[in-house]
Amino acid sequence: MSNTTLNETERPDDPDERTTTVGESEETIQPSWRQYHFDGDSKISVSGLDVHYGDDHALKDIGMEIPEESVTALIGPSGCGKSTFLRCLNRMNDRIRAAEIDGEVSYDGENIYGDGVNLVELRKRVGMVFQAPNPFPKSIRENVSYGPRKHGDIRTGFFDRLTGRDDREQRDRIVEESLRKAALWDEVKDRLDENALSLSGGQQQRLCIARCLAVDPDVILMDEPASALDPIATAKIEDLIEQLAEEYTVVVVTHNMQQAARISDQTAVFLTGGELVEYGDTDQIFENPNSDRVEDYITGKFG
Amino acid sequence: MSGEYASTLVTDETTLGERVASTVIGIGLLVFMLSVLAVARVVTEEASVLGVGLYDFLAGGLLAMGLGVFVVGVGSALGAFDTTPDETPGTVTAGAFGIIAAAAVWLATLQLGVLGPLGGFPVGLLAGAVTFVGLGLLSEDIGSTLPAVVVAVAVSGTVLTNLLTPAWLWDPEWLSAAFSGSMTIPTLTAAAALLTAWAGAKSYGGYGSEGRQAGAYLLVALNALGMLAVLLAVILFIVTKGIGPAFEGFSLYPFDWPFVLNGYSFRPDVVNGVFPAIVGTLYLVVGATVTGVPVAVAAAVFLTEYAEQGPFVGAVEIATNGLWSTPSVVYGLFGYAFLVPRLGGTTSLLSGILVLGFMLMPLCLITSREAIKSVPDEYRDASAALGVSQWETIKSVVVPAAMPGIVTGVILGVGRIAGETAPILLVMSGGLRDDAPNVLGSFEFTSAPPFVANDALLQSAPALPYQLYATITSGVSAENAVEYGWGTAFVLLVVVLSFYAVGIATRMYFRRRLNHE
Amino acid sequence: MLGSTLFGRLPRLERASGLSTKAAAMLVVLSLSLFATFALFLLNSPLAAVPLVAFVVAVAYGWVAHQDVTARVVTLIATTSTIAILGLITVFIFYRAIPAFRVMGTGLFGFTDPVTVFGVSLPAVETFWSTGSNTYSLVPMIWGTLVTTAIAMVIAGPLGIAGALFLAEIAPPMVRDAVKPGVEILAGIPSIVYGYLGFVTLNTFLFENLRMSNLGSLFLVGLVIGLMALPTVVSVADDALTSVPASMRDGSVAMGATEWQTTKSITLPAALSGVSAAVLLGIGRAIGETMAATVIIGHSQQLPQPLADVFASTETLTSLIASQYGNADGTHLSALFAAGVVLFVTVLVLSVGARRVELRMEKKLGGDP
């Protein structure tokens, strides 16, 4: 059990940087998330992250180490910036017109906001599942094999068939494997060529998870993946998230505190104004939070 | 962990291959633009660039591009550059080059006069098929650069070796046109430059999915630019041609604008103007608005507020779409057969007004219906909850809320009918004249039915678009007929585009206000 | 006729009319007077003004005394007028085309040699179009319309869709905000202005530089119409592309697909029906375009020899009507109406087709929760 922070061991120059970026908040009390220690390796490390939408300061000086192969929950009232934070981790915020992002987000030690970052590579490694299921208006098989086909890992074109490079078998293997991991295979194995929009909401969301797994990412970001689903479908998604954490680093945004308590290993609490107030082991956050504001939020006194 | 991925997350700075590829794209844009100007005969083969004849310069640029693409393509295949090519260029690329090969072979057999015009056809097809399959079997970097290199070198070679000179002429018997070298050469260089620049862009992106994106974006962006340039050139051309005649004798103080304020007097010493036509167009537009718009808005109210989805509404929708798309000349025929015999038996302003009103109705009906539909149901519910009757609700809540959308639709519709020529050609006509129609002053009461008469309404009247047509067909007697036409075109363009600009600005204003609230 | 459908269809009106005999009387006067106006106008009687006045008076009285019912009836009449106008157009142009059908029979579509098309054998005509021998075959004009439309769509279709792709998918927001309204304004340039441009400059340009034997060609007409249809196609296709939900694009991009792959595999297929409706709309516009064709083309009612000669001077259906209506009567005039019938039916079929395609798209994307 090594209780040294990664900041000190791996990134010795970081404290200086923080002094310059944080500036005047130096005098204020160090928020508790600065002292969070965990076992194992860090997958994603965030420091000094600021996001502005025009005049709106959506995220303020966020710093966070996300451990690999675990579930990290981001909770907080609506409008607190938790989804914005999630979308910073695979640079989906780049697609939003007015978003202005400063700071550093490192993935396996490489700053994804640095120069020369290949966004396609990044998004292959950091997959994402959205709030509302968004399957493509194509067949189930095409939905799941979409990523590998687009990345050239599976070839089924005219000339590939002509030269015998046809990867149909491999495609079907990936489809089956991904659907099994997403606990959807048994329900759809007989209708892989049906339109994905004919599935129920819960099935569609698991299809979107399968679609994401087919690309073989390291990290899966989930933005309130169960908020549009009924309780039974939600329970299935929650089970699935816990299973996925054995192999993947999962970061999940939720507004449901019970859900965060059930599925996550560590929890980050964002409160209104785009601040990360507390980050730590889920048990500690829910049983014994350091901050009074977090305690108020968790006990329902403040939302 | 990142070791398991084939490519790296962070790439280094610009590579040599990228620099060569971007140079190719740069030269390509230059050659393409010069070639287009040469096709339009803005510059000719007599011009020279950097001491070289224009066409030789274009060919030289093309040759340089071909060499550059050859270097990056072969370099990538040999592993000299860090690229991620697919195993095949894909069916679209191979197909496009197949079509080019087929066309080139067919045209070559025509040129050489062997096999006859149809005999070369199967040979061309065969060449295309061979190219298609052959390219498909090559890897992407070679398969999408090499054919572009061949095209670039072939085109520049025929020009540089004087196989194809500006004096060259191809005059096929089966076409009423002939193609001279001075037109053919820049056409070929433009096409080849585009193709080679595309191959360069693909190389710049390192082939694979990003290379394809780079290639496609180059073409799509160029297309958008070219399109806007051509359309703006059309407007600018008309403005530069028309602004002179339109402002002849214009003075601000004392205010005088003869072209707009005078009639057509057929006198050489006075500036001939379009005043009667402007007044005529004004009557047409106002009349069509008065007849068409209330009906359209009423129908839109009925369809959204009273009617329930059923066969009646379905039939109305089909009828509306049918009316919306019916060609204007058919409206003209209809007016000619239905209105003209019943409204005095001659072409008349009133027939023109009614026909344009019929045309305006479906345009405004569709937009008004959309506008009323988009009024939130909460408004209606809130009003109904206060015990207000349905019609009161429509009158005082729904229609006012939909007003911006309705007004926008009316302005855009009016813009469209103001420039219509074909229907008034058949039902109104009316040539060049000195005095404006005086509708308001011509009302008279009579003893026989219909008890009201208005000669001005039942006579033909001039209108801007028809006047422009008349300038073309009759060739106005004055010497400066062409200038007069340009002036009329300019005024018409200003009138119609102002309607559009105001309509679109209104829509943007209300949309923005809606989004902020 | 109007009253009975009204009372049968609208229960609330029934109740309202049951309330007051005055309102019922007003409705009877209103519908009778409207019907009489229409009938007398059709019979070309100046007396039509009398019932028209009665109608206006009835509406005015109703508006003051029974506004609810009157508003409902007046809006219903306005709605019915769409069907009535389309009906009148159909009846009148078909009716006026009958003499030509009677004289020419299927020879209206006859070639100079007898041929069989789709199992219908068409008789031979001596010449395609001659007022002297009273022979009218629409074949050269149909061919002219077909060729100009094809050329126009080869230009406006792919370039228009590519332009829409640029606006919807590639252009930075600032460029888009400036260019989209610009394109919509360009769609408003009147066709006669294009025609004047083509007549004065392009005709002579092509004549000199392509050493043509005649002024005005199908090629130039197609080119100009294509240019004209371009902004319309761009604008409508752009609307279709932007109506694809952003969540679908996000889903694709978040998996590491490039923007272009997303456009090609997700956005374009999802918007396909809307985009094809845009192209169909463009085709409809191109077929019905009159003025540009009329002023540019050479007006010779002959098939080009050989057919592939797109630089020949011929005629289109629209330019035929616009150029000959002035000195036509009898069968000649009727043949022009027959040309109108061909145009009208073709465009109507296209418009119904486009609407169906659009409805399919709404259903497809609407099924997406």
Side-chain angles (χ1 to χ4, degrees):
Chain A
M1 190 161 184
S2 70
N3 272 0
T4 51
T5 69
L6 281 156
N7 278 338
E8 277 158 17
T9 52
E10 286 182 19
R11 317 184 67 81
D13 53 354
D14 248 7
D16 303 335
E17 239 183 76
R18 190 178 300 151
T19 319
T20 53
T21 46
V22 177
E24 50 194 3
S25 68
E26 194 73 356
E27 277 83 39
T28 60
I29 310 151
Q30 285 280 308
S32 60
W33 47 263
R34 302 248 195 250
Q35 279 95 46
Y36 176 57
H37 311 298
F38 53 80
D39 309 333
D41 294 326
S42 161
K43 188 76 193 170
I44 297 173
S45 110
V46 180
S47 63
L49 183 70
D50 273 281
V51 177
H52 294 262
Y53 292 121
D55 295 335
D56 180 22
H57 200 167
L59 281 179
K60 289 176 191 154
D61 186 31
I62 307 295
M64 200 168 158
E65 301 283 337
I66 296 172
E68 69 173 16
E69 288 168 17
S70 66
V71 179
T72 304
L74 311 176
I75 63 171
S78 52
C80 67
K82 55 192 191 302
S83 289
T84 303
F85 176 75
L86 191 77
R87 292 170 71 96
C88 284
L89 301 183
N90 66 345
R91 289 189 63 170
M92 283 300 277
N93 272 340
D94 290 20
R95 289 165 62 73
I96 293 171
R97 193 169 169 171
E100 201 182 302
I101 300 147
D102 304 297
E104 197 171 299
V105 177
S106 294
Y107 166 92
D108 281 336
E110 284 182 296
N111 182 7
I112 63 169
Y113 283 95
D115 294 332
V117 172
N118 185 334
L119 288 185
V120 167
E121 267 319 301
L122 170 69
R123 289 170 186 156
K124 270 157 89 170
R125 299 179 198 187
V126 184
M128 189 168 208
V129 176
F130 295 81
Q131 185 168 3
N134 58 348
F136 305 131
K138 296 169 179 289
S139 75
I140 295 171
R141 195 198 306 274
E142 280 175 295
N143 262 281
V144 179
S145 62
Y146 181 79
R149 272 188 290 131
K150 293 300 138 187
H151 297 138
D153 299 335
I154 294 178
R155 297 189 180 82
T156 52
F158 172 78
F159 288 115
D160 301 311
R161 258 175 286 163
L162 204 68
T163 50
R165 281 192 301 253
D166 193 13
D167 295 330
R168 267 149 214 267
E169 282 172 28
Q170 199 201 335
R171 174 192 67 185
D172 291 343
R173 209 172 55 239
I174 291 181
V175 168
E176 178 174 347
E177 202 177 292
S178 310
L179 285 171
R180 276 190 195 282
K181 276 193 195 165
L184 189 60
W185 174 251
D186 292 329
E187 291 163 59
V188 300
K189 64 183 173 198
D190 299 323
R191 45 179 182 144
L192 290 176
D193 291 314
E194 271 178 40
N195 194 317
L197 294 175
S198 66
L199 298 174
S200 73
Q203 287 174 325
Q204 287 189 2
Q205 192 62 301
R206 277 179 284 148
L207 177 70
C208 291
I209 294 175
R211 190 172 76 180
C212 175
L213 296 177
V215 184
D216 193 23
D218 281 354
V219 180
I220 301 173
L221 309 177
M222 297 190 176
D223 190 357
E224 305 197 23
S227 68
L229 306 179
D230 62 63
I232 297 173
T234 303
K236 282 189 183 166
I237 299 278
E238 286 183 9
D239 287 348
L240 184 56
I241 291 173
E242 285 182 278
Q243 280 169 32
L244 290 176
E246 289 166 16
E247 235 181 295
Y248 303 92
T249 307
V250 181
V251 184
V252 54
V253 165
T254 173
H255 60 258
N256 178 337
M257 278 177 280
Q258 285 73 34
Q259 188 176 61
R262 276 197 298 272
I263 61 173
S264 69
D265 300 308
Q266 48 278 322
T267 298
V269 186
F270 288 75
L271 289 182
T272 320
E275 287 172 78
L276 171 57
V277 181
E278 188 155 355
Y279 175 46
D281 284 328
T282 300
D283 297 344
Q284 176 253 314
I285 296 272
F286 280 94
E287 281 157 24
N288 184 24
N290 293 328
S291 152
D292 294 343
R293 288 170 71 196
V294 171
E295 185 162 9
D296 286 351
Y297 173 65
I298 286 170
T299 53
K301 282 183 199 154
F302 159 74
Chain B
M1 193 90 180
S2 59
E4 72 185 68
Y5 292 99
S7 37
T8 51
L9 184 59
V10 180
T11 47
D12 331 64
E13 63 285 351
T14 332
T15 62
L16 177 66
E18 281 173 356
R19 243 173 266 154
V20 174
S22 51
T23 313
V24 168
I25 299 171
I27 302 176
L29 294 181
L30 181 70
V31 171
F32 177 72
M33 272 188 300
L34 279 177
S35 304
V36 170
L37 290 179
V39 172
R41 309 298 286 156
V42 177
V43 289
T44 59
E45 57 269 26
E46 273 109 50
S48 65
V49 186
L50 305 174
V52 190
L54 176 66
Y55 287 8
D56 284 338
F57 177 80
L58 294 178
L62 208 50
L63 193 64
M65 290 174 71
L67 284 178
V69 170
F70 183 78
V71 168
V72 284
V74 173
S76 158
L78 295 176
F81 302 123
D82 190 18
T83 54
T84 52
D86 283 353
E87 261 114 25
T88 158
T91 39
V92 177
T93 305
F97 280 118
I99 291 171
I100 293 172
V105 169
W106 178 57
L107 285 174
T109 58
L110 284 183
Q111 279 304 302
L112 299 172
V114 290
L115 303 168
L118 293 178
F121 215 69
V123 181
L125 276 183
L126 187 70
V130 169
T131 312
F132 174 69
V133 175
L135 287 181
L137 300 179
L138 293 171
S139 80
E140 192 197 2
D141 43 7
I142 289 290
S144 50
T145 55
L146 220 49
V149 172
V150 169
V151 171
V153 170
V155 170
S156 66
T158 48
V159 177
L160 288 176
T161 58
N162 284 336
L163 214 61
L164 200 60
T165 59
W168 174 88
L169 188 74
W170 180 44
D171 191 2
E173 302 172 355
W174 49 277
L175 274 185
S176 313
F179 303 98
S180 64
S182 44
M183 290 289 272
T184 309
I185 293 173
T187 310
L188 286 176
T189 51
L194 214 52
L195 197 68
T196 320
W198 166 81
K202 245 186 134 171
S203 316
Y204 181 81
Y207 311 101
S209 59
E210 289 182 64
R212 282 165 204 229
Q213 167 158 311
Y217 276 20
L218 177 79
L219 293 187
V220 171
L222 265 182
N223 167 64
L225 265 180
M227 207 167 70
L228 280 178
V230 168
L231 289 169
L232 287 180
V234 166
I235 290 195
L236 276 181
F237 189 76
I238 293 160
V239 169
T240 49
K241 286 276 187 184
I243 205 159
F247 281 91
E248 195 184 343
F250 176 81
S251 80
L252 209 55
Y253 187 84
F255 183 78
D256 193 21
W257 194 353
F259 191 80
V260 169
L261 297 176
N262 284 7
Y264 201 95
S265 56
F266 295 95
R267 277 165 50 193
D269 55 325
V270 185
V271 176
N272 287 313
V274 291
F275 182 68
I278 291 178
V279 174
T281 294
L282 195 72
Y283 276 124
L284 273 179
V285 162
V286 171
T289 311
V290 168
T291 48
V293 172
V295 180
V297 175
V301 166
F302 184 84
L303 287 173
T304 38
E305 300 296 315
Y306 292 121
E308 273 160 34
Q309 200 63 40
F312 177 67
V313 173
V316 172
E317 272 170 3
I318 290 176
T320 314
N321 277 309
L323 287 176
W324 188 81
S325 56
T326 298
S328 54
V329 72
V330 174
Y331 273 100
L333 279 177
F334 166 63
Y336 187 69
F338 177 65
L339 293 174
V340 170
R342 289 170 177 76
L343 295 172
T346 59
T347 54
S348 65
L349 178 59
L350 186 58
S351 304
I353 286 174
L354 288 177
V355 166
L356 290 188
F358 289 152
M359 286 186 73
L360 184 59
M361 202 195 75
L363 300 176
C364 291
L365 172 52
I366 289 174
T367 46
S368 305
R369 198 179 167 196
E370 287 299 320
I372 297 175
K373 250 191 205 165
S374 67
V375 174
D377 273 340
E378 289 81 31
Y379 287 20
R380 298 184 180 90
D381 294 347
S383 179
L386 294 171
V388 177
S389 76
Q390 193 182 7
W391 169 245
E392 262 325 297
T393 305
I394 294 169
K395 202 171 68 170
S396 46
V397 177
V398 177
V399 172
M403 217 37 163
I406 296 175
V407 169
T408 310
V410 170
I411 298 173
L412 290 177
V414 165
R416 199 169 136 203
I417 59 156
E420 275 297 348
T421 319
I424 54 176
L425 178 73
L426 275 91
V427 302
M428 190 170 97
S429 60
L432 303 161
R433 52 191 241 188
D434 202 10
D435 57 324
N438 180 6
V439 172
L440 297 178
S442 308
F443 276 106
E444 275 173 15
F445 290 99
T446 58
S447 55
F451 310 114
V452 182
N454 189 329
D455 281 345
L457 264 184
L458 293 180
Q459 280 169 1
S460 55
L464 281 171
Y466 181 76
Q467 193 133 326
L468 190 53
Y469 176 68
T471 315
I472 296 169
T473 46
S474 56
V476 186
S477 52
E479 288 166 17
N480 55 358
V482 174
E483 280 71 38
Y484 181 76
W486 284 121
T488 314
F490 171 71
V491 173
L492 176 64
L493 197 67
V494 169
V495 169
V496 171
L497 293 197
S498 319
F499 274 115
Y500 271 78
V502 169
I504 289 164
T506 320
R507 192 182 62 196
M508 279 165 68
Y509 172 75
F510 283 114
R511 263 191 203 162
R512 207 160 280 171
R513 221 180 58 174
L514 210 66
N515 289 343
H516 277 272
E517 277 168 8
Chain C
M1 148 204 107
L2 201 63
S4 69
T5 53
L6 261 177
F7 294 117
R9 200 174 289 282
L10 302 162
R12 286 190 64 178
L13 187 71
E14 211 165 32
R15 202 189 60 208
S17 64
L19 283 175
S20 141
T21 38
K22 276 184 190 167
M26 181 271 294
L27 286 183
V28 170
V29 172
L30 194 148
S31 33
L32 280 180
S33 59
L34 183 68
F35 186 71
T37 311
F38 186 64
L40 287 173
F41 188 72
L42 266 185
L43 295 171
N44 199 3
S45 157
L47 284 170
V50 179
L52 185 65
V53 171
F55 174 73
V56 173
V57 169
V59 170
Y61 165 74
W63 197 261
V64 176
H66 313 278
Q67 209 176 74
D68 254 38
V69 188
T70 316
R72 189 180 274 252
V73 173
V74 168
T75 55
L76 173 69
I77 292 170
T79 311
T80 322
S81 74
T82 56
I83 301 178
I85 294 176
L86 190 70
L88 282 175
I89 293 180
T90 315
V91 168
F92 270 86
I93 62 167
F94 272 89
Y95 176 71
R96 296 293 292 267
I98 288 174
F101 278 103
R102 216 173 261 154
V103 171
M104 294 301 299
T106 46
L108 210 47
F109 304 103
F111 291 78
T112 40
D113 307 304
V115 286
T116 306
V117 182
F118 301 123
V120 183
S121 52
L122 299 170
V125 286
E126 275 171 48
T127 56
F128 281 115
W129 192 269
S130 157
T131 44
S133 62
N134 220 22
T135 311
Y136 306 99
S137 165
L138 294 173
V139 168
M141 279 57 85
I142 293 176
W143 176 256
T145 296
L146 211 65
V147 171
T148 48
T149 305
I151 294 173
M153 287 332 285
V154 163
I155 294 165
L159 299 191
I161 293 172
L165 282 180
F166 177 80
L167 276 187
E169 304 279 299
I170 302 175
M174 268 176 49
V175 175
R176 186 191 153 76
D177 287 351
V179 171
K180 174 86 203 225
V183 168
E184 285 174 318
I185 292 175
L186 288 171
I189 302 178
S191 64
I192 186 70
V193 172
Y194 279 103
Y196 195 71
L197 188 76
F199 173 75
V200 177
T201 51
L202 293 179
N203 246 352
T204 34
F205 177 85
L206 287 192
F207 184 73
E208 282 166 12
N209 287 294
L210 292 183
R211 312 192 183 193
M212 286 170 46
S213 47
N214 48 273
L215 271 174
S217 60
L218 293 176
F219 174 77
L220 181 57
V221 173
L223 193 74
V224 171
I225 295 179
L227 193 63
M228 267 170 69
L230 204 48
T232 311
V233 174
V234 171
S235 178
V236 180
D238 172 73
D239 289 341
L241 286 170
T242 41
S243 73
V244 175
S247 68
M248 263 185 210
R249 288 171 223 216
D250 281 356
S252 170
V253 170
M255 291 169 73
T258 59
E259 300 275 351
W260 177 243
Q261 284 175 326
T262 305
T263 301
K264 242 178 21 173
S265 320
I266 305 297
T267 319
L268 204 52
L272 192 62
S273 2
V275 171
S276 19
V279 175
L280 280 180
L281 188 74
I283 295 178
R285 279 282 143 80
I287 291 176
E289 172 44 45
T290 311
M291 296 324 292
T294 307
V295 299
I296 292 173
I297 217 159
H299 303 293
S300 102
Q301 293 82 26
Q302 294 296 330
L303 275 180
Q305 291 297 336
L307 273 183
D309 186 3
V310 293
F311 293 96
S313 158
T314 45
E315 186 85 289
T316 68
L317 287 167
T318 51
S319 69
L320 177 82
I321 299 170
S323 63
Q324 301 213 343
Y325 81 99
N327 47 20
D329 49 16
T331 319
H332 184 192
L333 185 60
S334 178
L336 297 184
F337 274 92
V341 167
V342 173
L343 273 176
F344 180 62
V345 171
T346 315
V347 173
L348 207 60
V349 167
L350 274 177
S351 120
V352 171
R355 182 75 198 138
R356 287 219 147 163
V357 167
E358 252 177 323
L359 282 180
R360 242 190 60 199
M361 167 160 182
E362 271 165 29
K363 213 178 266 176
K364 195 166 150 194
L365 290 177
D368 178 25

